[in-house]
Structure formats: C-alpha cells, structure tokens
Amino acid sequence: MSKKEIDEIGLRLAQVVKAPDESEGQESFARAMELTKAYAASGSATHFSAVARLFYDLFEMFETGKDPRQS
C-alpha cells in the first residue's frame, strides 16, 4: 500500500470523526467500531495498539472493499 493510499484512508477517517453526519464513511466507521468493540471485549487483545490497528484495518476494508492484509 502506498503512502498516498494510507493518507487517503486517514483523511476519510478524520472526516467521519469531524463531521459524522456529512461523511460518506459513516457506515464504514460504525461497522468497524462494532467489530472492534467486540474484539476488545473478548479479551483476545494483548496490547492496546492491536485494537487501534484492527479498527483502522477494518475501516479501510469497508471503505475500499479490499483486504488490507494483502498489501
């Protein structure tokens, strides 16, 4: 994944946080948040950074339709 693609996902995420009602990524954010909360509550997370990374990867997957692990 190129730096440009990473920046684009970061910008989309920032837009959702800043203006959730006006952003196209609202559904992706909600889906990623729901799955991340379930993961964090399961006790499987061994480090807080794993939770943050999972959320970002899920958001990216829902926004682009691509598996971020394939990069």
Side-chain angles (χ1 to χ4, degrees):
M1 175 174 279
S2 71
K3 181 168 174 33
K4 182 181 178 186
E5 291 172 323
I6 292 171
D7 290 346
E8 177 67 27
I9 297 300
L11 289 172
R12 289 182 192 183
L13 182 56
Q15 286 176 332
V16 173
V17 172
K18 288 180 179 180
D21 295 334
E22 299 172 12
S23 176
E24 294 177 10
Q26 183 178 11
E27 184 179 340
S28 297
F29 183 87
R31 292 170 67 190
M33 182 64 74
E34 185 176 330
L35 290 172
T36 303
K37 286 185 347 186
Y39 172 70
S42 73
S44 296
T46 58
H47 197 269
F48 71 91
S49 65
V51 175
R53 183 67 200 180
L54 175 68
F55 174 77
Y56 186 87
D57 286 347
L58 287 169
F59 181 78
E60 178 182 352
M61 182 179 69
F62 293 134
E63 281 291 292
T64 65
K66 299 177 185 173
D67 186 346
R69 299 172 297 176
Q70 301 300 323
S71 309

